[in-house]
Amino acid sequence: MTVFPLEIVEQFRTAALERLKRIEASWTALTESGDGDGQAVMHREAHNLKGESRLIGFADVNLLCHKLEDLFALAGDRHYKVGEDFDLAVTMTTRFMAMLVRKKVGTHAGIDLPGFLGHLDEVIADTVAFPPSAPASQTQRSSHRIRIPLEARERAGIAAVDVFIEAARGRGGRLDTAWRQLRDLLAIDELVPLRPNLEKHRDSSIALLRELGRSAHVEFDLGEFDVISEVVGVLDVALLHLLRNAIDHGIEPSSRRLAKGKPPTGRITVRSKLIKQTVTLTVSDDGSGIDYELVRARGLGLGWLDVASAANATQDELKGLLMRTGFSTRTRATDVSGRGVGLDAVSTAVTSIGGALQVESSSEGTNWLVEASMPDVLVAAHAFRVPGISVPFAIRTDWEPCDSTTVFVDLAVALGLGGPTLGEVRFAVRRGSRTVGFVAGETPHETSIRRLVTTPSCAIAEVALIDGVEGLLLRPERLR
Amino acid sequence: MSAINIPPIRDLDFSAETSLNSDELRIKLTGSADARAVEPLSNLLPKIHAEAMRLGTKRVVVDFLELEFMNSSCFKSFVTWISMVEEATEKYRVTFLSNPGMLWQRRSLHALSCFAADLVSIEGTPS
C-alpha cells in the first residue's frame, strides 16, 4: 500500500470533513424540506469521498462510503420519505466517518466499526422490508413499524382477536383504537407481484458485467405469482447482493475461463418459484466457485479464527464466515464488492423473516438458495352472519356442508357477545369425523376472504376481511 | 459537593435535570423529546461536556428510563456530544440508563456506543 506524505493525508482529512458537512447538510435539506437540489451534491460528494478514501488508504471510511451510498439509494427509491431510524442512521454514518477521518492511524481503539455496520444492516433490512411498490391500499404503517417474527405475531394475534371480539360489542372508544393499533402491528402484509420487483436487477447486472469486462448470459426465470410485500423486500436485497457477488467474485474473465476449459461466456441464472406457501429464489453461476482456502486464510488474517480452528474449520463453518459483517476475500474494497457487508445483509434480511440461506459451490460454479415461507393470505371460505352480531363470520371450505348434527353453536353465547341468538338458519359443517353446527341469520355463501391477523391453530378464530368487512375466520374444532 | 452551572430544561412535554453526585454527573430526561426539544438539548449537551471537563468528572450518567420518545434531530445532539467525549484529551465514561421495553432506545443507543465502545455503556432496567 502506498504511504502518502503527511501533508497529503492532512489535505485529504480537511477535504473529507468538508465533504461530510455538505453531505449532512444536503441530507437534512432533502428529508426535512424536500429540497431536491442537494440530492446531486450528496451523491457527488459521497462518490468523491469514496474514491479519495480508497486512494489514501482510509479503508474504514471507504467501507462506510459504500454503506452510505446504499442508504441513499434506498432513500431515493422512497422519495426521501424515511423514518426516524433511517434518518438517524445516515447522520450517524457521516459523523462516524468524520470521527474516523480525524483519527490518527493506530488510534482506532474503542471504535466498534463491525457493530455499527451491523446496526446499519438492520436499518437497511427493515427499510427494504417495505418496498416502494407496496400498494397504496395497504394499511398505513408507522415509519417505526417493528418487524415481528411470524410465530410471535401469531401468538400476539390471540390477544388481538380477543380485543377485536370485545370491540365488536360496539363499545367503541379505546377498544376500537386498541384493535386498530394491534391490527396495524400484526396484520399480514399485502400480496404484491414478485416478478416486477426482481426483474429490475437484470439490466443492472448486465451493466455491471460490462463495467467489469466480464461476459455472461443472464437468465431470469421468475414465474408469475404474488408474495407478501415483506418477503418481496427481502428477496430484492438478496438478489442485489447475490448477483453482485456472482459477477464480481464468480464469473471469471473469458481468458481464464478458456484456460479452464469453460466456454468464454459465463452463465448466471436467477429463478424464483412458489411451491405451496414457500418462495424460493436461486442465483446460480458457472464461475470459479467459493475459494474456501482463501476464506480460511482471510478468517485467520482477520483474527476471527486462530491457527487451530482455521486448520479444522469445516466448509459449513467457512460458509458462516462469509456472512459475517466485515468479511470479504478481497483485501481492498472495490466499488462493487469487498466491503464485507453484502452477504451479511442478505443473511440478516433472510433470517429476519424466518427464511433460510444456503450455498453450494465448487470450481464449476456456485448456487445460492433463499427460501422463505409465508402464510396463505387468501382462502376460500363459507361466509355468514349472525343476527345481533355486527361482524361477519367465515369457515374454511375444507369444512364441508352436511346435514346431520344435533349440537349447534350459538356464536353470540360462545364468544360472549350476548345471546341466545334468534337466528332462524341452522347449518352444519363436517371435516373428517367432526361435525359442528351453527345458528345463523342466513345460509352461508362461498367466497374468498383475506386473512388479516393470524393465530396459531389452538385459537378459536383469526381476523379476516370477509366480503370487505373485518370479521372472524372460525376454527370450528375449537368451538365445541 | 461542587455546584454545577447547568440550568434545567423544563418544557410541557420534555424535561432534562442535571445533578452532581460525588464524581458522577447525572442527567435525567423525561417525557418526549420532539422538535421543540432540539435546540435546548443541543445547547445542554456541550454545557454538560464543559462542566464534566471542568470538574474532572469520571462518569456522566444519562437516564433515559422515563424518556418515551426522542426524534432523530434530538438524538443527533447526543452523537455530537459523544464525538466530543471521544476526542477529548481527558476522557470520562458515559453510561446510558435505557428502558429495555423501548426498542428505539436499544437500537439507537447501541449504535451510539459504537462510536466509543470503551467509554460508552448501556445499562437496562426492567420497566
Side-chain angles (χ1 to χ4, degrees), chain A residues 28 32 84-85 87-88 91-92 95-96 99 102-103 109-112 115-116 119 122-123 126 144 146, chain B residues 69-73 75-76 79-80 83 86-87 103-104 107-108 110-118:
Chain A
T28 302
E32 288 187 0
E84 297 277 343
D85 262 6
D87 175 38
L88 186 58
T91 300
M92 276 192 165
R95 302 286 179 90
F96 207 98
M99 185 175 63
R102 285 192 288 264
K103 278 285 184 187
I111 296 178
D112 183 7
F116 187 69
H119 167 73
E122 268 189 40
V123 171
D126 273 358
H144 290 279
I146 300 166
Chain B
F69 170 72
M70 176 174 282
N71 73 3
S72 57
S73 300
F75 208 89
K76 287 171 192 176
V79 177
T80 304
S83 300
E86 206 281 330
E87 291 171 7
L103 177 66
W104 70 267
R107 283 175 65 160
S108 303
H110 168 71
L112 189 59
S113 73
C114 295
F115 281 66
D118 54 343

Side-chain angles (χ1 to χ4, degrees), chain A residues 67-88:
Chain A
K67 190 59 73 176
L68 200 57
E69 287 186 324
D70 280 349
L71 289 167
F72 289 161
L74 270 179
D77 285 346
R78 286 150 182 77
H79 306 290
Y80 299 94
K81 305 288 182 204
V82 295
E84 297 277 343
D85 262 6
F86 195 101
D87 175 38
L88 186 58

Side-chain angles (χ1 to χ4, degrees), chain A residues 422-439:
Chain A
L422 299 176
E424 295 180 353
V425 175
R426 292 182 174 226
F427 70 93
V429 290
R430 184 204 307 274
R431 190 175 71 186
S433 60
R434 287 187 174 185
T435 305
V436 182
F438 292 93
V439 180

Side-chain angles (χ1 to χ4, degrees), chain A residues 1-69:
Chain A
M1 188 178 90
T2 306
V3 177
F4 287 89
L6 187 58
E7 186 185 325
I8 301 291
V9 173
E10 288 305 316
Q11 283 177 5
F12 162 75
R13 285 201 167 100
T14 303
L17 291 171
E18 288 299 319
R19 291 197 193 285
L20 287 167
K21 274 188 201 162
R22 285 193 287 271
I23 288 171
E24 192 170 326
S26 302
W27 171 259
T28 302
L30 259 172
T31 52
E32 288 187 0
S33 51
D35 177 2
D37 291 343
Q39 187 176 343
V41 169
M42 203 169 71
H43 284 278
R44 185 180 61 240
E45 296 292 352
H47 183 77
N48 288 341
L49 182 57
K50 183 175 69 176
E52 288 162 6
S53 59
R54 184 183 62 191
L55 180 67
I56 302 293
F58 278 64
D60 291 347
V61 174
N62 181 257
L63 186 60
L64 284 167
C65 278
H66 287 286
K67 190 59 73 176
L68 200 57
E69 287 186 324

